[in-house]
Amino acid sequence: MTESLPAGAAGGPPGPHDTDTDDPLGSADRTDAVDVWTLWIPDHAAAAAARSGILDPEEAERAAGFQDPAARRRFVTSHVGLRVLLGVRLGTAPQDVTLVRERCGMPGCEKPHGRPAVAGHPGVHFSLSHAGDIALYALAASPVGADIESLDLVGGGLERMARRLHPDERRALDTLHPTVRQEALLGCWVRKEAFLKGMGTGLPGGVGAHHVGLAAALAPAWAPPGPDGWALLDVPAPDGCHAAVALRLQGPAGRGRIPTIRTSRLLME
């Protein structure tokens, strides 16, 4: 895992962590690669608040709507971080990145509440998720979804989540020893959410309708493959959390290929 990551000053020159790798976001240019970044929100809330002017009017309105100050800080910090990453990726000031919504991925729905996207850049795809004070970002050249969840935050809701899973996922969970069941369930859930976000439907796309399976280390040999045309990748996460990304594979050559994944920490100063 890379120890420091690109961040940029709002509209200014690259910051001290923008150049610690030769090609910090270059792998996102390839359809078989995904860059994953994590951000520890408390360490960057002050810096993000100072740059909150880079948020667009919709983001600013959403931020103002939070009654809970902690929730507002998390929203502002994670979205400032997203704009910093996209600005570096596009070689532009973060405030000049125009975010839009694609059409919904649900069949028959043409409304613009699908995947978030960057206007004018169809080859740049991203996903943002957060669990408490941790934000997770994924950037790729094809549709991507990311999710991170904390076992402490999900808590007693895990078994309710389990009842919604695909029958083969529930069957696989039932074969596991109780000591690893919770971890396996959370690992499956983040894969599920990442995939549904990548499709552009979110949870309404059907938690039980698609098989994504357990994390690779726990999946039984008899388990069916994951969704056709997608790669499900388990991502290193802080203790007590699980994270995953789902990447759409482009063309027939993508079938069965394991994409390159690079994980890093985003630092903003």
Side-chain angles (χ1 to χ4, degrees):
M1 175 178 287
T2 302
E3 285 303 318
S4 58
L5 296 140
H17 299 288
D18 285 329
T19 57
D20 67 306
T21 60
D22 291 336
D23 187 18
L25 294 177
S27 65
D29 293 328
R30 305 201 317 269
T31 58
D32 62 346
V34 57
D35 281 302
V36 177
W37 313 75
T38 56
L39 174 70
W40 179 243
I41 290 173
D43 287 351
H44 302 90
R51 302 183 190 181
S52 60
I54 71 176
L55 300 179
D56 66 24
E58 180 181 355
E59 290 170 310
E61 182 179 1
R62 289 178 62 190
F66 285 99
Q67 300 300 311
D68 178 17
R72 187 183 308 115
R73 282 194 299 272
R74 289 166 180 163
F75 179 89
V76 169
T77 306
S78 61
H79 281 254
V80 167
L82 173 64
R83 285 187 167 273
V84 166
L85 282 174
L86 291 174
V88 173
R89 173 69 177 84
L90 299 171
T92 189
Q95 64 266 31
D96 292 336
V97 176
T98 302
L99 300 179
V100 295
R101 283 278 183 176
E102 296 179 347
R103 290 180 178 177
C104 178
M106 295 285 287
C109 181
E110 297 295 320
K111 295 181 179 180
H113 50 216
R115 282 188 303 266
V118 183
H121 295 276
V124 177
H125 298 267
F126 67 91
S127 186
L128 164 63
S129 177
H130 60 80
D133 285 328
I134 304 167
L136 178 77
Y137 308 87
L139 269 68
S142 58
V144 64
D147 191 56
I148 184 169
E149 302 285 351
S150 164
L151 191 59
D152 288 341
L153 294 177
V154 173
L158 272 175
E159 289 307 317
R160 291 194 299 273
M161 293 158 63
R163 291 194 290 271
R164 302 175 61 189
L165 295 174
H166 187 279
D168 285 330
E169 292 163 348
R170 298 200 303 269
R171 179 184 166 203
L173 286 168
D174 288 343
T175 67
L176 298 177
H177 192 277
T179 57
V180 297
R181 176 182 168 84
Q182 280 196 330
E183 295 284 344
L185 173 51
L186 192 60
C188 180
W189 189 263
V190 295
R191 291 162 68 92
K192 184 78 66 173
E193 285 218 45
F195 170 65
L196 294 174
K197 288 169 71 174
M199 286 207 309
T201 67
L203 295 181
V207 172
H210 306 277
H211 179 272
V212 301
L214 307 188
L218 296 172
W222 54 260
D228 189 33
W230 288 81
L232 276 298
L233 305 167
D234 304 308
V235 177
D239 290 344
C241 294
H242 281 266
V245 297
L247 180 69
R248 181 184 290 171
L249 302 174
Q250 301 295 315
R255 189 181 301 273
R257 187 178 66 241
I258 299 177
T260 300
I261 183 169
R262 182 171 64 179
T263 59
S264 309
R265 254 185 327 122
L266 175 61
L267 302 178
M268 293 191 295
E269 293 187 354

